[in-house]
């Protein structure tokens, strides 16, 4: 479990082909590796990866073909910068929101507008994720816990302060940059909960306006 508060920006040093999978080597930047052990989890641009080898300033993790398919790892290469966060401790501050490290889809940066004290960024999410993105709700972008400030269809807008731009890879975004998205886990649970008894009879949640009306959620 993570909080979306980035600890450091790392650099991909190598992506070694293991057949269907790749072994990723990440230089950890300023992140303290002294309390990282084999088997620990590190969110790498929002993707929960398991440490299989480590040194004083790097770690290695295996990335499956499934993960490559559904995340931005398909676009990464040696030298790419990545946001890093170690799994949260039960006695640490909860500064962001609940982040699982399970990416729901890949979005793309649509526009970047600089203002006096912040930068306005619009991101286009996959259409199937639009229903989970709410005004003033939480979303994880490349592992960063952020607040949605406006929504238009499947696009949403973020206001980014100088600290976030400086301490994460978001400062390097350009129009067209692919980003890992994880929607708020509470929205996922609510969708499933609203199915009620029908959840046991369906392989996937199918919440529609007619479903809401039939089950008393709409008048």
């Amino acid at each position: 479990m993570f909080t979306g508060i980035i600890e450091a920006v790392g650099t991909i040093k190598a992506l070694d082909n293991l057949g269907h999978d790749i072994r990723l080597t990440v230089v950890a930047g300023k992140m303290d590796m002294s309390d990282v052990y084999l088997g620990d989890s590190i969110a790498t641009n929002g993707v929960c990866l398991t440490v299989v080898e480590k040194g004083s300033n790097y770690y290695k993790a295996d990335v499956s073909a499934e993960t490559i398919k559904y995340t931005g790892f398909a676009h990464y290469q040696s030298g790419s910068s990545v946001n890093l966060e170690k799994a949260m401790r039960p006695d640490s501050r909860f500064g962001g929101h609940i982040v699982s490290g399970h990416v729901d889809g890949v979005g793309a940066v649509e526009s970047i507008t600089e203002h006096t004290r912040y930068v306005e960024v619009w991101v286009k999410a996959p259409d199937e994720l639009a229903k989970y993105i709410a005004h003033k709700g939480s979303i994880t972008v490349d592992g960063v816990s952020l607040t949605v400030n406006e929504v238009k269809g499947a696009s949403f807008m973020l206001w980014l302060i100088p600290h976030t731009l400086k301490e994460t890879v978001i400062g390097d975004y350009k129009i067209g940059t692919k980003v890992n998205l994880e929607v708020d886990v509470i929205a996922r649970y609510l969708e499933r909960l609203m199915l009620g008894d029908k959840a046991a009879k369906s392989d996937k949640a199918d919440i529609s306006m007619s479903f809401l009306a039939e089950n008393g959620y709409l008048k």
Side-chain angles (χ1 to χ4, degrees), residues 120-135:
E120 176 184 321
V121 177
W122 279 89
V123 177
K124 174 68 166 61
D127 288 348
E128 61 269 22
L129 297 185
K131 60 183 176 181
Y132 303 111
I133 302 172
H135 179 230

Side-chain angles (χ1 to χ4, degrees), residues 139-153:
I139 193 164
T140 308
V141 180
D142 279 343
V144 184
S145 173
L146 296 169
T147 299
V148 176
N149 286 284
E150 190 175 339
V151 181
K152 293 180 180 178

Side-chain angles (χ1 to χ4, degrees), residues 170-200:
I170 293 177
D172 297 327
Y173 283 178
K174 298 176 176 60
I175 294 175
T177 296
K178 303 295 184 182
V179 295
N180 291 325
L181 301 177
E182 181 185 332
V183 299
D184 192 343
V185 67
I186 295 174
R188 288 288 195 188
Y189 281 115
L190 283 174
E191 179 184 42
R192 189 69 175 171
L193 181 63
M194 289 172 67
L195 286 172
D197 293 339
K198 293 184 178 180

Side-chain angles (χ1 to χ4, degrees), residues 67-80:
T67 299
I68 295 169
K69 180 179 178 181
Y70 289 104
T71 71
F73 274 102
H75 307 281
Y76 300 163
Q77 57 190 343
S78 179
S80 294

